[in-house]
Amino acid sequence: QVHLVESGGGSVQAGGSLRLSCAASGFTYSSSCMAWFRQAPGKERERVATISTDGRRTNYPDSVYGRFTVSRDNAKNTLALEMNNLKPEDTAMYYCAADLRRTWFCEEVPNAYDYWGQGTQVTVSS
């Protein structure tokens, strides 16, 4: 059974930092594209970062580029998202997701991902 469990969310002031983690189990983690998405109330779920199976190919939208860094540890089956210089518009529920079919060119749309965690809340105050 596949499990994705996020942790590390919380409340910070603008300019602060947070590190999110996702623990994966129940599938071949090292062979799966992984991603972070976020969803704010009333808004669509949006991609925050994607990472290839070997960690060498990452992709970010302009809204977080240069502030967020995604990484993975295939030995520990974990995914991380380092978030710096946080802004109030980063406030959302953050989800990790697994795409078991792709390895290098990871998709940017939510419906490409097979499994999702339950999410962790990030709140940034001004």
Side-chain angles (χ1 to χ4, degrees), residues 13-125:
Q13 290 191 328
S17 298
L18 281 174
R19 180 180 174 88
L20 305 184
S21 297
C22 174
S25 61
F27 64 102
T28 307
Y29 178 78
S30 60
S31 299
S32 303
C33 269
M34 297 297 296
W36 287 97
F37 286 81
R38 67 185 180 187
Q39 188 167 20
K43 294 187 176 182
E44 293 187 352
R45 191 166 294 192
E46 64 170 346
R47 170 187 59 101
V48 173
T50 61
I51 186 167
S52 61
T53 54
D54 61 3
R56 291 191 295 149
R57 190 175 191 272
T58 58
N59 193 273
Y60 308 89
D62 290 344
S63 58
V64 307
Y65 187 82
R67 300 188 297 122
F68 290 12
T69 302
V70 62
S71 61
R72 65 190 295 163
D73 185 334
N74 287 341
K76 297 181 179 180
N77 286 9
T78 56
L79 181 72
L81 184 69
E82 188 75 34
M83 305 185 295
N84 297 313
N85 190 22
L86 283 161
K87 304 176 181 180
E89 51 263 43
D90 294 319
T91 295
M93 186 72 79
Y94 283 70
Y95 301 89
C96 70
D99 179 355
L100 275 60
R101 291 161 288 175
R102 296 171 182 85
T103 59
W104 181 248
F105 292 104
C106 301
E107 288 286 350
E108 300 177 1
V109 295
N111 61 13
Y113 289 80
D114 304 293
Y115 296 101
W116 295 81
Q118 82 290 347
T120 186
Q121 178 68 38
V122 171
T123 303
V124 184
S125 58

